[in-house]
Amino acid sequence: MRQVPPTPRRGRLESRERAVPLRTCVGCRVRTAKSELLRLVAVEGVIVPDPRGRMPGRGAHLHPDPGCLELAERRRAFPRAFRLAGPLDTSALRARLAARDARQQDGQR
């Protein structure tokens, strides 16, 4: 009988810690813990942030960083991730990320 090497467990931070759900950022394509990413949902052609993760529909995840947003737009990743045809409006998402950056620069959370 052929011996198969054991596959490493995915989603674990270290060997004895609890499993953490992993998601891939649509911008930079890095797998990260779900809690570090912002969930996005497409509502009538507009990409809307879903920080609580409760909105219905197919979601995509993105680092809350304008650089990852730029990468996702340049790669045309949003229509693929949401499985929708045509361009999607990112103005609401861009405004939210800009407000978040402004708060961080002011020293707030």
Side-chain angles (χ1 to χ4, degrees):
M1 182 165 48
R2 191 175 127 209
Q3 296 262 338
V4 178
T7 57
R9 290 193 176 262
R10 293 186 178 173
R12 296 205 183 262
L13 292 177
E14 296 199 11
S15 61
R16 300 275 173 168
E17 292 187 24
R18 290 186 66 148
V20 176
L22 297 177
R23 300 293 182 266
T24 302
C25 174
V26 294
C28 63
R29 305 289 300 158
V30 172
R31 287 180 57 102
T32 310
K34 180 181 171 182
S35 60
E36 296 178 19
L37 298 171
L38 178 63
R39 183 173 188 263
L40 308 172
V41 178
V43 178
E44 297 177 1
V46 178
I47 298 176
V48 180
D50 180 20
R52 294 186 319 146
R54 303 274 190 248
M55 293 178 74
R58 184 171 182 84
H61 292 82
L62 181 80
H63 283 109
D65 177 38
C68 283
L69 176 60
E70 292 294 329
L71 279 172
E73 288 178 331
R74 189 172 349 137
R75 294 177 50 245
R76 298 183 191 114
F78 289 125
R80 265 194 316 265
F82 293 121
R83 296 184 182 168
L84 296 173
L88 298 170
D89 182 23
T90 60
S91 61
L93 177 59
R94 188 174 301 284
R96 177 169 175 119
L97 292 180
R100 185 175 187 271
D101 281 349
R103 280 195 315 261
Q104 282 183 346
Q105 288 178 356
D106 290 340
Q108 298 176 357
R109 184 186 156 131

